[in-house]
Amino acid sequence: MTDLFEDKAAEWDARPLPAIISEGVGRALLEHVELTPDMQVMDFGAGTGLICCHVAPHVAKIYAVDISEAMLEQLAAKPELQGKVEPVCRDILEAALEEKVDLIISAMALHHVEHTDRLLKAFAQQLAPGGKLALADLDAEDGSFHPADIEGVYHAGFDRDELGALLEANGFEDVQFVTAAEVEKNGRHYPIFLLTATKR
Ligand SMILES: C[S@@+](CC[C@H](N)C(=O)[O-])C[C@H]1O[C@@H](n2cnc3c(N)ncnc32)[C@H](O)[C@@H]1O
C-alpha cells in the first residue's frame, strides 16, 4: 500500500493547520469526554501523535492505529508517549485489534476512508460494551480544503445530521456534536466538529 503521508510526516508537526486543529480537538476532547486512568483507547489515524499527546496523560494505554509507517515513526520518536502509546500500522477494516477498547478517538482521518459505514461498523466491533467514540473532522465543505488532485481523500467533510444518522444506524446513541476548531485557508473558513457517541 502506498504511504500517502510519507513526504509529509517529517514536517507534519511544524505545519500550522494540524497544530491549530489538534489544539482545538485536544481541548474539546478533555472538556467533553470523561477520561479515566484505567481506560484503553484507540486513536484511529493517529499520525504523528498530536492528539495522543493530549489524551495519554489521562488514560492507561492508547493504540495509535495508522496505515502510514512514516507518520507512526514520528509518533514513536516522541519521548512523552513512550510506554503509554503503542503504534499499530494496520488497516483495521481488514484486521481488528486483538483487544477491545473503551474509547476510540480520531482527528481528521475519517475523510480518508471511502466507506464510512464500514468504518463505523469496525469501530462498533472494536469497542467494549458501553464504549465511546470521540471523532473530529471537517464539517461539510465545498471540496476546496484539499487540492483537487489529492489522492486518498474521499469526503469533502461531513454533514452532521447525515453522520449522526449513520452512527445511530450502526449501533451508537447519544450522538452529540460541538465545534472544536476553525481553520482559515486561502481566505475560507473551515469548522471542525468533535462528535461524541456511546455504543448501545
Ligand atoms: C490528516 S492526517 C491526521 C493525523 C492526526 N490525527 C492529526 O490530527 O494530526 C490523517 C491520518 O490518517 C491516516 N489514515 C488514512 N487512512 C487510514 C486508514 N484507513 N486507517 C488508518 N489510518 C489512516 C493517514 O495515514 C494519516 O496519518
Side-chain angles (χ1 to χ4, degrees):
M1 187 186 292
T2 314
D3 184 345
L4 297 176
F5 281 79
E6 189 170 11
D7 296 341
K8 301 173 182 161
E11 44 73 63
W12 185 258
D13 289 6
R15 292 183 172 210
L17 261 50
I20 294 168
I21 294 170
S22 61
E23 262 317 299
V25 172
R27 197 174 334 107
L29 258 166
L30 297 188
E31 189 179 338
H32 295 282
V33 181
E34 189 190 0
L35 302 176
T36 57
D38 57 344
M39 252 181 175
Q40 304 284 316
V41 179
M42 176 172 89
D43 183 351
F44 175 76
T48 62
L50 290 176
I51 300 299
C52 289
C53 288
H54 289 269
V55 174
H58 308 285
V59 300
K61 169 150 191 172
I62 305 180
Y63 296 96
V65 172
D66 206 292
I67 52 171
S68 167
E69 279 185 20
M71 294 290 264
L72 287 179
E73 271 169 24
Q74 299 293 319
L75 177 149
K78 291 185 173 165
E80 66 272 34
L81 299 181
Q82 301 298 315
K84 266 284 175 83
V85 179
E86 181 179 329
V88 181
C89 195
R90 184 189 298 186
D91 184 348
I92 59 148
L93 288 174
E94 303 298 328
L97 296 183
E98 289 69 29
E99 310 292 329
K100 298 268 185 196
V101 296
D102 306 300
L103 170 68
I104 297 175
I105 59 176
S106 181
M108 298 298 280
L110 298 192
H111 63 254
H112 291 293
V113 179
E114 187 170 8
H115 302 294
T116 311
D117 189 53
R118 283 184 57 201
L119 182 64
L120 297 183
K121 282 187 172 57
F123 284 169
Q125 282 174 7
Q126 193 69 67
L127 281 171
K132 311 255 183 208
L133 283 183
L135 311 176
D137 212 304
L138 288 161
D139 276 294
E141 43 101 12
D142 61 3
S144 58
F145 184 82
H146 293 96
D149 58 352
I150 196 164
E151 248 188 287
V153 171
Y154 297 99
H155 305 272
F158 295 88
D159 177 89
R160 294 186 186 197
D161 290 340
E162 284 176 15
L163 187 54
L166 202 54
L167 281 155
E168 285 173 6
N170 279 290
F172 292 95
E173 64 185 5
D174 193 20
V175 182
Q176 297 185 38
F177 287 83
V178 295
T179 299
E182 183 167 306
V183 290
E184 196 251 317
K185 196 174 174 182
N186 301 326
R188 294 180 193 232
H189 291 266
Y190 301 91
I192 316 288
F193 63 78
L194 174 73
L195 78 80
T196 54
T198 304
K199 183 179 165 179
R200 271 199 297 273

